[in-house]
Amino acid sequence: PPTTTSLSLPLRSSPDYWASANADIQAHLERAIQIRHPLAVSEPMRHLTFSAPETTAPALCLLACELVGGSRDQAVAAGSALRLVHAAASAHEGLLSSRPRTDGPNFGPNIELLTGDGLTPFGFELLARSEPDHSNPTTRAESSSRVLRAIIEIARASGSHGMVEARYNEIEMIDGSGGDDEEWVERVCKKKEGEIHACAGACGAILGGGGEEEIERLRRYGVYVGMIRGIVAAKRVGRGGRRWLERKVGELRELGLNELKGFNREKVEPIASLMLTSEHDRRLRMTD
Amino acid sequence: PPTTTSLSLPLRSSPDYWASANADIQAHLERAIQIRHPLAVSEPMRHLTFSAPETTAPALCLLACELVGGSRDQAVAAGSALRLVHAAASAHEGLLSSRPRTDGPNFGPNIELLTGDGLTPFGFELLARSEPDHSNPTTRAESSSRVLRAIIEIARASGSHGMVEARYNEIEMIDGSGGDDEEWVERVCKKKEGEIHACAGACGAILGGGGEEEIERLRRYGVYVGMIRGIVAAKRVGRGGRRWLERKVGELRELGLNELKGFNREKVEPIASLMLTSEHDRRLRMTD
């Protein structure tokens, strides 16, 4: 089965790039929340944003932007918006199931509902505000169009055909009506983590000024990264066997690397690292 | 006290303009929902969108756009977005209180939560897509900037400082912790209906190409229209006395008409009619 050593690209098994991109997003969000919201509002917002389950989608957005030649700050608002819509969905997830939250302060269902409802528009606001001030109308038109396109991408990925449908699928899975386990995990992961990562890859490429082919390559790359992340997370809660996991992750890495082939080999390492972190490797070595 | 006859502008006590603007928004939404969503998703979306409590904010957006010299279609996506964020809030309102819905099909709390979560991004998507295709970069930059500005306006009005805070206030009111009744109604209405109408007035003016002063006038006008609507609706559920209602509505109309004074007198009638409908008048004649 394909393993780390079979990869044709130099990959550090370190989450350095991911951590650094995440730190930039965190700083951007901390500033934005603090400036606009008093403590009573900002505390649950901050908590529900930063305690949401980990996702690599926002970091992927920044790294995709850099890969196509953009600078990280062009994508930091979109990365923040991705984090916010993900946090909004997570805040509402607790309302769907009957399991009470056990981690951190419990704000109660009303505050979780309302704060979640506030996080999504906040994400679109940050993104719409991120349009840089260009005096040249052609540059300005181009940059506004990119921001509008990113808004459409994130709206679709977080909307009723995206994350909302994924959450609906997941309820079905939890209810046990999902049929065959591994096939179902794959389908759910493709929809849930796959689509938000696809959106992140595409948004990063759009905002960094990538061409249409680059945008589509990074959109497909996102699907594979998201699926790897989702499948590994599903394994953590006991879904899918070890051999299936290894085979599947190996296949997805090959597919992912294939999408990165068109890009400058030197610049590929940061984004490729999202497919292979020490955390993954540790988990891959775990027994069934 | 100021009554209908004291108004210095010719006002038809007819909701014609409102009805016609609403019909345009309804047609726009019907098309958009049908094209993008299969029946299982579009049915609860359509139901929760079109069965949401009446609001004049979307119509105000279209009429404000026309008042500053724009054409109605420039604002129809923003009007639709306003309707969608309002519907999303209404869908989630049933989840806050413990009262079960009695009108129309009941989709259950999970579908109401998820559908509500899908309506907000759908609104931003429609708005971001509404950017017309201009070949002239200056015109295109201008038009994109207006759309981005409308997105910021609607995000703020529907977010944690806008509708979310208003819903929080309303829970407090329902819980009876709101202190003096009439003062409280006024405060809640200013926040709830006032702000979304203010946003609608400003968005219409922005998208129609109005100047900054026109935008701010129509924003303030929106506050007054929203408050009139809110106070009349509160009266319906027994909040506030008849005399207070008449005095308050009279005052708000004067303030509203004052904001419209700067505009072409001939063109003011449609938007002014939002302050005075036959429905209002009927209610004003009701006894305590």
Side-chain angles (χ1 to χ4, degrees), chain A residues 47-48 50-53 90 94 99-107 112:
Chain A
H47 177 76
L48 291 170
F50 298 125
S51 74
S90 307
R99 290 168 298 179
R101 278 175 193 283
T102 50
D103 54 328
N106 187 325
F107 296 102
E112 283 176 11

Side-chain angles (χ1 to χ4, degrees), chain A residues 6-279:
Chain A
S6 80
L7 295 171
S8 55
L9 281 159
L11 287 178
R12 275 201 270 166
S13 62
S14 127
D16 284 355
Y17 301 110
W18 174 20
S20 130
N22 265 357
D24 286 357
I25 292 163
Q26 175 114 4
H28 188 80
L29 277 172
E30 281 282 3
R31 258 195 317 275
I33 291 177
Q34 206 155 25
I35 291 165
R36 307 224 176 105
H37 300 288
L39 199 66
V41 175
S42 67
E43 203 198 307
M45 278 184 86
R46 181 177 288 120
H47 177 76
L48 291 170
T49 302
F50 298 125
S51 74
E54 219 170 48
T55 169
T56 37
L60 172 61
C61 180
L62 272 58
L63 299 175
C65 177
E66 289 181 319
L67 185 62
V68 301
S71 75
R72 195 176 275 200
D73 58 297
Q74 288 174 288
V76 78
S80 300
L82 284 163
R83 183 126 179 202
L84 289 165
V85 296
H86 172 77
S90 307
H92 285 182
E93 226 150 81
L95 301 172
L96 282 169
S97 72
S98 51
R99 290 168 298 179
R101 278 175 193 283
T102 50
D103 54 328
N106 187 325
F107 296 102
N110 280 355
I111 295 298
E112 283 176 11
L113 178 69
L114 288 172
T115 305
D117 282 354
L119 291 175
T120 300
F122 187 45
F124 290 109
E125 184 191 341
L126 286 184
L127 191 45
R129 275 186 198 282
S130 70
E131 183 204 23
D133 234 357
H134 293 295
S135 47
N136 178 328
T138 308
T139 322
R140 191 154 71 91
E142 183 54 40
S143 127
S144 304
S145 287
R146 287 180 196 167
V147 172
L148 285 168
R149 208 170 149 188
I151 291 173
I152 295 167
E153 292 279 350
I154 296 179
R156 289 189 73 87
S158 61
S160 43
H161 274 320
M163 281 163 60
V164 169
E165 193 180 324
R167 285 156 65 201
Y168 185 78
N169 289 347
E170 221 179 17
I171 301 174
E172 282 190 324
M173 179 172 111
I174 291 164
D175 289 352
S177 54
D180 173 58
D181 202 50
E182 291 173 352
E183 201 180 290
W184 186 250
V185 168
E186 198 176 332
R187 210 181 113 194
V188 167
C189 289
K190 189 170 184 183
K191 187 77 205 169
K192 196 186 183 193
E193 287 88 354
E195 285 194 10
I196 190 81
H197 282 80
C199 166
C203 282
I206 290 165
L207 293 164
E212 292 308 317
E213 204 201 313
E214 291 177 310
I215 294 167
E216 292 317 312
R217 272 188 177 269
L218 286 167
R219 187 194 300 283
R220 288 191 298 269
Y221 178 70
V223 176
Y224 304 130
V225 171
M227 284 181 78
I228 293 173
R229 295 281 165 180
I231 286 170
V232 169
K235 179 74 182 71
R236 209 180 310 172
V237 294
R239 294 256 163 184
R242 189 176 64 88
R243 260 185 221 157
W244 169 77
L245 177 78
E246 279 189 3
R247 182 173 54 76
K248 206 72 228 167
V249 169
E251 280 171 22
L252 291 166
R253 278 184 189 157
E254 290 297 331
L255 289 165
L257 287 171
N258 203 39
E259 297 298 343
L260 296 181
K261 267 177 190 157
F263 295 97
N264 186 331
R265 235 184 125 88
E266 311 271 293
K267 289 170 73 184
V268 147
E269 191 185 328
I271 198 164
S273 77
L274 293 181
M275 292 198 298
L276 186 71
T277 70
S278 55
E279 195 199 2

Side-chain angles (χ1 to χ4, degrees), chain B:
Chain B
T3 63
T4 318
T5 52
S6 81
L7 295 171
S8 53
L9 281 157
L11 287 177
R12 275 202 270 166
S13 62
S14 128
D16 283 356
Y17 301 110
W18 173 20
S20 131
N22 265 357
D24 286 357
I25 292 164
Q26 173 114 3
H28 188 81
L29 277 172
E30 281 281 4
R31 257 194 318 274
I33 291 177
Q34 205 155 25
I35 291 165
R36 307 224 177 104
H37 300 286
L39 199 65
V41 174
S42 67
E43 201 198 308
M45 278 183 86
R46 182 177 288 119
H47 177 75
L48 290 171
T49 302
F50 298 125
S51 74
E54 217 170 52
T55 169
T56 37
L60 172 61
C61 180
L62 272 59
L63 299 176
C65 178
E66 289 182 319
L67 184 62
V68 300
S71 75
R72 194 177 275 201
D73 58 297
Q74 288 174 287
V76 78
S80 300
L82 284 163
R83 183 128 178 199
L84 288 165
V85 296
H86 172 76
S90 307
H92 285 183
E93 225 149 81
L95 302 171
L96 282 170
S97 72
S98 52
R99 287 168 301 178
R101 278 175 192 285
T102 49
D103 52 329
N106 187 327
F107 296 102
N110 280 355
I111 295 298
E112 283 175 12
L113 177 69
L114 289 171
T115 305
D117 282 354
L119 292 175
T120 299
F122 186 46
F124 289 109
E125 184 191 342
L126 286 185
L127 190 46
R129 274 187 199 282
S130 70
E131 183 203 23
D133 234 358
H134 293 296
S135 48
N136 178 329
T138 308
T139 322
R140 192 155 69 91
E142 182 55 40
S143 128
S144 304
S145 288
R146 286 181 196 168
V147 172
L148 285 168
R149 207 170 151 189
I151 291 173
I152 296 168
E153 292 279 350
I154 295 178
R156 289 189 72 88
S158 62
S160 44
H161 273 322
M163 279 162 61
V164 169
E165 192 180 325
R167 285 154 66 202
Y168 185 78
N169 289 346
E170 220 179 18
I171 302 173
E172 283 191 322
M173 179 172 109
I174 290 164
D175 289 353
S177 54
D180 175 58
D181 201 54
E182 292 173 351
E183 202 179 290
W184 186 251
V185 168
E186 198 176 333
R187 212 182 110 194
V188 167
C189 289
K190 189 170 183 181
K191 186 78 204 166
K192 195 184 183 194
E193 287 87 355
E195 285 195 11
I196 191 79
H197 281 80
C199 167
C203 281
I206 289 166
L207 293 164
E212 292 307 318
E213 204 203 311
E214 289 177 313
I215 294 167
E216 294 316 312
R217 272 188 177 268
L218 286 166
R219 187 192 301 282
R220 288 192 297 268
Y221 178 69
V223 176
Y224 304 131
V225 171
M227 286 180 77
I228 292 172
R229 294 281 167 180
I231 286 170
V232 169
K235 178 75 181 72
R236 210 180 308 171
V237 294
R239 294 254 164 187
R242 188 176 65 90
R243 260 188 221 156
W244 168 78
L245 177 79
E246 279 190 1
R247 183 174 52 80
K248 204 73 229 168
V249 169
E251 279 171 23
L252 291 165
R253 279 183 188 158
E254 290 297 329
L255 289 165
L257 288 172
N258 202 38
E259 297 299 342
L260 296 181
K261 267 177 190 159
F263 296 96
N264 186 330
R265 236 184 125 89
E266 310 272 293
K267 289 170 73 186
V268 147
E269 189 184 330
I271 199 164
S273 77
L274 293 181
M275 293 197 296
L276 186 71
T277 69
S278 55
E279 195 198 3
H280 271 174
D281 294 331
R282 229 181 299 123
R283 233 180 289 289
L284 282 173
R285 279 194 295 270
M286 278 174 9
T287 48
D288 235 11

